[in-house]
């Protein structure tokens, strides 16, 4: 009973609440709790009698127009207001401050954004599909919590630089499909919290550098469908957290590292639907990139460096381009690639002739090559694709598949192939091998045979192994004459020839390729010759007035309905004969300075520059390492010398030929003299020769001056050796004076002087007589001195017994002498005897007078003499000398004879003369002797 009662009460209460709600809800609206739906009710004003607890009010698809005034004082809980698809012409006027967070005014006719002051809690504002024309500095109030702003599909043409400054909390901003053509600098400077920015479908042509530098938290930016032609360097600098960048459907023509700079966090980049014809390196700034969309552009080739630094790339879209060449090894830079789209290109050669193109794609799962005009699948075409799951070869009219063409894809599950022209001869029998046929996913293969006739129209999987028979004469084309590699000069004409054999008489289709690009608008000749095994057809490629741009690898591709074949690649090297860009010119340089020689040449290959001097390569400047290279076209000779003067030849050489140009280097030097002139003194009647040897460049002019007056030619004055010699014949006293040699060139003047004395006849005679007397006197002195010394030597040979102690053979000045000590001795000491002999010689000299030369004997004031038997030892006080050997005593002389000599002679007659040295072990002995003959008389006789 209690339970039944409670149910009854609750039912009454519910009915009561429902009745109250119905009474407070507008009759045309549906009140669903806090959600009130008044959409599609054709009301034209803000409804009344709505529940006060209402949180969401939907007024979409009504007839509200003009200016809408809203009083929300009764709806304190209202947070979401939807007013889409009405005819409101101005921004609604809110009478009081509201708590509305989300306001949707899309699809109206509002022309100006204003009156937001009473929406302080607004977080989302949708103004899509209105008629806004511009945003100014007063469009948004100062204090706003707006996080999402949608301004898509308006007529906005202008944004002031500060119009978004108050939206500091904005996270998402959409201004797509407007008429913006310029974004002012600093527009986003306050939007530090912005994460999503959509500027697509405007008229923007240029993105200026540093435009987005303040959007440090931006993760996605959409710029698709504009008219952007140029992205300046640093266009996206500062977007350190940007992960997704959309630039599709613009007018971009290149990818450069300048505008990629700073995109270090980029994961997705879409540049499809542009005019990009080449990729340049610069991906080092996008090392985190995982997906790159380059589809629908004008790419013609991909080089190895174009994909560098994309080590994390997983998806690459290259479809719908003009690709005809991908350099081998290009995909080595993308080891993580999983999806590779290359549909709708011209990459048939990639499968028909290239090798190891996909090496490096070990992680590739999906490869699409649909519609690439592939006719032939080479055996090694898919090498490296170990983990490939899906291969799309649709819309390629494949004629032949070589043996083991699919063995490099062991994990292949989906093979999309459709062809109706397969040549089902014995070359295709490998497909029917059990281990291969069972592993191929024929559920996705729709291939039919077109040849031979017995197999024509049959599905590949329905033909038995025996039906793949070999033909005696195959109609498939075979290259028998490959084009040859050549080297030609620019502007010459050249032909390349290709020959193909086939058993079919059908005309072979020839295509010439250059660097794997089909050649168009070229001149070719075709002719045929019949052979015993079929017909050989030739194609001749004519290249006229050839230029450098035509260098490359040429290849002939021949095909018919039975197959296709490729010739070898012939290398055509176009060379340009060297020509001078800078020709060396004549120059003059002063010694000690630096000479400058310029020479530059162009050509292909780049010519090598070499220098010669006077026909030789080993010239002084090179030997002495005075030659420097300032630039590639400037050579310097430092510290120039006279030996550097000459003709310099600049030679430019490459494989095409050699050219040379000459230049003369003149080395200028001030005049200088090789040697100084010396004074001259001659007699009257003799000739005088003065030398003035000078150097310099230009060659100096020589001028002779005497006593300040220039000399001229006369009967006695001659100039020879280009005026370097002045000759005066039969000199007289008038020729005496000061002569000056003056040398002059363009760099200066130099001179030197010399005195010339011409002596008269009497002066010369006196001079000669005086000179003769001097000569005679010198001769006489020499004779006298020689005689005296001879006499001394002769007398020294006679011994003096008085001076010898025969008992003990000791010196007279030994310790046994009785005269040692103080006082006068009756016997003279050895030093006294020796000094007396010296004095005697001096007196003898004075007695001889002018007839004998003066003899200055050395005074032994600082020496001592030690006498002994047969020797004398002279010892200087400072310098010790060896003992001097005197002549030995003659045996016939006695002591008495010596005493007699001493008594008869007043003075000593000889001095000791050193004759020979004794060893130091011999006792020091000196012999002193005197002759009893009168020395004066002997000297006169000798003279």
């Amino acid at each position: 009973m209690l339970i039944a009662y409670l149910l009854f009460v609750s039912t009454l209460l519910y009915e009561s609440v429902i009745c109250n709600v119905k009474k407070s809800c507008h009759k045309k609206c549906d009140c669903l709790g806090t959600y009130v739906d008044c959409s599609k009710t054709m009301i034209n004003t803000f409804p009344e009698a709505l529940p006060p607890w209402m949180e969401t009010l939907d007024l979409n698809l009504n007839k509200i127009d003009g200016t809408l005034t809203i009083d929300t004082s009764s709806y304190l809980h209202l947070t979401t207001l939807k007013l889409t698809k009405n005819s409101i012409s101005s921004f609604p006027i809110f009478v009081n401050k509201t708590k509305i967070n989300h306001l949707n005014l899309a699809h109206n006719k509002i022309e100006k954004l204003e009156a937001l002051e009473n929406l302080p809690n607004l977080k989302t504002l949708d103004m899509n599909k209105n008629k806004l024309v511009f945003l100014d500095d007063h469009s948004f109030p100062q204090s706003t919590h707006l996080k999402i702003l949608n301004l898509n599909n308006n007529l906005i043409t202008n944004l002031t630089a500060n119009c978004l400054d108050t939206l500091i909390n904005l996270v998402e901003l959409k201004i797509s499909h407007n008429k913006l053509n310029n974004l002012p600098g600093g527009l986003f400077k306050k939007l530090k919290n912005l994460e999503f920015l959509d500027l697509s479908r405007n008229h923007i042509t240029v993105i200026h550098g540093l435009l987005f530098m303040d959007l440090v938290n931006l993760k996605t930016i959409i710029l698709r469908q504009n008219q952007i032609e140029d992205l300046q360097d640093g266009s996206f600098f500062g977007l350190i957290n940007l992960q997704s960048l959309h630039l599709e459907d613009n007018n971009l023509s290149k990818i450069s590292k300048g505008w990629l700079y700073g995109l270090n966090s980029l994961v997705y980049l879409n540049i499809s639907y542009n005019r990009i014809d080449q990729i340049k390196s610069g991906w080092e700034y996008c090392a985190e990139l995982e997906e790159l969309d380059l589809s629908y552009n004008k790419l013609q080739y991909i080089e190895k460096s174009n994909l560098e630094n994309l080590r994390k790339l997983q998806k690459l879209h290259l479809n719908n381009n003009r690709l005809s060449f991908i350099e081998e090894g290009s995909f080595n830079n993308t080891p993580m690639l999983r999806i590779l789209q290359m549909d709708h290109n011209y990459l048939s050669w990639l499968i028909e002739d290239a090798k190891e193109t996909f090496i490096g794609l070990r992680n590739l799962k999906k490869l699409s090559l649909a519609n690439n005009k592939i006719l032939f699948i080479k055996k090694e075409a898919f090498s490296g694709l170990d983990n490939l799951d899906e291969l799309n070869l649709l819309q390629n009219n494949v004629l032949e598949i070589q043996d083991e063409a699919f063995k490099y894809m062991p994990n292949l599950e989906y093979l999309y192939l459709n062809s109706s022209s397969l040549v089902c001869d014995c070359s295709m029998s490998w497909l029917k091998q059990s281990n291969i046929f069972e592993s191929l996913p024929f559920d996705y293969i729709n291939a039919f045979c077109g040849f031979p006739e017995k197999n024509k129209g049959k599905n590949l999987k329905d033909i038995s192994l025996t039906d793949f028979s070999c033909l005696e004469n195959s109609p498939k084309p075979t290259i028998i004459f490959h084009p040859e590699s050549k080297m030609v000069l620019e502007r010459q004409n050249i032909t390349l020839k290709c020959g193909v054999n086939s058993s079919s008489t059908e005309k072979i289709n020839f295509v010439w390729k250059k660097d794997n690009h089909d050649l168009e608008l070229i001149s070719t000749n075709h002719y045929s010759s019949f052979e015993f095994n079929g017909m050989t057809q030739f194609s001749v490629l004519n290249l006229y007035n050839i230029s450098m741009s035509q260098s490359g690898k040429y290849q002939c591709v021949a095909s018919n309905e039975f197959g296709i074949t490729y010739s070898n690649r012939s290398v055509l090297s176009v060379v340009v004969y060297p020509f001078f860009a800078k020709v060396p010119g004549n120059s003059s340089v002063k010694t000690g300075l630096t000479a400058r020689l310029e020479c530059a040449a162009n050509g292909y290959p780049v010519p090598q520059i070499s220098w010669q001097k006077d026909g030789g390569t080993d010239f002084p400047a090179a030997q002495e390492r005075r030659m420097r290279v300032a630039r590639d076209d400037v050579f310097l000779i430092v510290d120039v010398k006279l030996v550097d003067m000459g003709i310099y030849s600049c030679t430019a050489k490459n494989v095409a030929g050699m050219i040379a140009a000459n230049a003369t280097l003149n080395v200028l030097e001030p005049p200088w003299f090789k040697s100084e002139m010396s004074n001259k003194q001659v007699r009257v009647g003799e000739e005088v020769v003065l030398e003035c040897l000078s150097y310099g460049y230009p060659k100096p002019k020589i001028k002779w001056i005497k006593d300040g007056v220039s000399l001229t030619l006369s009967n006695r004055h001659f100039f020879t050796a280009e005026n370097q010699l002045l000759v005066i014949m039969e000199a007289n006293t008038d020729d005496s004076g000061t002569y000056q040699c003056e040398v002059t060139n363009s760099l200066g003047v130099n001179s030197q002087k010399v005195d010339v004395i011409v002596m008269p006849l009497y002066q010369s005679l006196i001079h000669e007589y005086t000179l003769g007397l001097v000569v005679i006197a010198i001769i006489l002195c020499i004779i006298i001195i020689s005689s005296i010394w001879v006499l001394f030597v002769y007398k020294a040979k006679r011994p003096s017994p008085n001076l010898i102690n025969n008992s003990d053979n000791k010196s007279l000045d030994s310790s046994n002498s009785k005269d040692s000590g103080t006082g006068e001795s009756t016997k003279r000491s050895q030093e006294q005897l020796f000094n007396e002999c010296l004095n005697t010689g001096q007196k003898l000299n004075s007695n001889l007078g002018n007839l004998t030369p003066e003899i200055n004997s050395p005074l032994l004031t600082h020496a001592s003499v030690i006498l002994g038997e047969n020797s004398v030892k002279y010892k200087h006080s400072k310098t010790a000398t060896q003992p001097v050997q005197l002549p030995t005593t003659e045996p016939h002389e006695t002591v008495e004879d010596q005493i007699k000599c001493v008594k008869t002679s007043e003075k000593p007659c000889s001095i000791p003369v050193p004759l020979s040295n004794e060893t130091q072990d011999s006792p020091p002995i000196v012999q002193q002797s005197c002759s009893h003959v009168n020395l004066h008389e002997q000297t006169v006789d000798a003279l």
Side-chain angles (χ1 to χ4, degrees), residues 245-280:
L245 174 58
H246 294 260
L247 289 166
E248 57 267 36
D249 204 359
N250 280 283
N251 291 321
L252 295 173
S253 59
K254 62 181 180 180
I255 300 174
S256 63
K257 65 169 61 179
W259 61 264
L260 290 172
Y261 181 70
L263 297 176
N264 300 324
S265 300
L266 196 65
V267 175
Y268 175 83
L269 175 60
N270 192 333
I271 327 178
S272 61
Y273 293 94
N274 277 277
R275 297 184 296 109
I276 298 171
D277 57 2
Q278 60 179 328
I279 304 173
K280 293 184 178 180

Side-chain angles (χ1 to χ4, degrees), residues 438-458:
E438 293 173 359
S439 62
L440 287 177
F442 274 95
D443 293 340
Y444 308 99
I445 297 175
N446 188 23
F448 296 86
C449 296
F451 185 84
E453 194 64 31
K454 65 176 182 177
N455 295 330
K456 188 174 183 179
K458 295 181 179 180

Side-chain angles (χ1 to χ4, degrees), residues 4 15 24 36 65 169 171 204 324 403 580 605 720 727 850 855 908:
E15 291 294 334
S24 61
V36 177
D65 59 359
N169 295 309
V171 174
I204 302 171
S324 61
D403 187 13
F580 282 113
T720 63
V727 181
N850 295 330
I855 300 174

